[in-house]
């Protein structure tokens, strides 16, 4: 299951920006090369980071439902 709140809490506690990074990845159609250009990283670094975040937060963006659920959680969190 998607654990957006755990990721957001880690962002706040550790000064990371995982939620925004995943949002950028999703808005670039889960394309590492496009995401790398947006966040100024090498595409292999993006791929590595995505894999580590998938493992840590049990993310599965292979289906559209989880992608939409994450983006809705992100948007809701930004405006509440």
């Amino acid at each position: 299951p998607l654990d957006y709140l755990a990721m957001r809490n880690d962002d706040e506690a550790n000064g990371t920006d995982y939620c925004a990074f995943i949002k950028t990845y999703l808005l670039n159609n889960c394309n590492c090369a496009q995401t790398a250009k947006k966040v100024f990283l090498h595409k292999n670094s993006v791929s590595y980071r995505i894999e580590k975040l998938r493992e840590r937060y049990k993310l599965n963006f292979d289906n559209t439902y989880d992608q939409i659920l994450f983006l809705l959680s992100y948007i809701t969190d930004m405006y509440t």
Side-chain angles (χ1 to χ4, degrees), residues 9-71:
N9 290 339
D10 284 351
D11 278 352
E12 290 177 2
N14 302 319
T16 55
D17 209 8
Y18 297 148
C19 291
F21 180 77
I22 294 294
K23 177 200 68 141
T24 302
Y25 176 71
L26 293 175
L27 293 178
N28 284 284
N29 298 316
C30 299
N31 183 302
C32 288
Q34 289 177 341
T35 302
K37 289 179 184 177
K38 296 282 184 182
V39 298
F40 305 105
L41 289 173
H42 190 275
K43 67 179 183 174
N44 291 345
S45 297
V46 170
S47 180
Y48 177 81
R49 188 177 292 183
I50 291 296
E51 187 57 36
K52 290 299 176 185
L53 292 173
R54 281 182 193 230
E55 291 172 7
R56 183 172 183 175
Y57 297 105
K58 298 173 180 47
L59 303 174
N60 178 16
F61 293 132
D62 296 331
N63 65 60
T64 306
Y65 176 80
D66 284 347
Q67 292 177 13
I68 292 170
L69 183 60
F70 183 90
L71 289 172

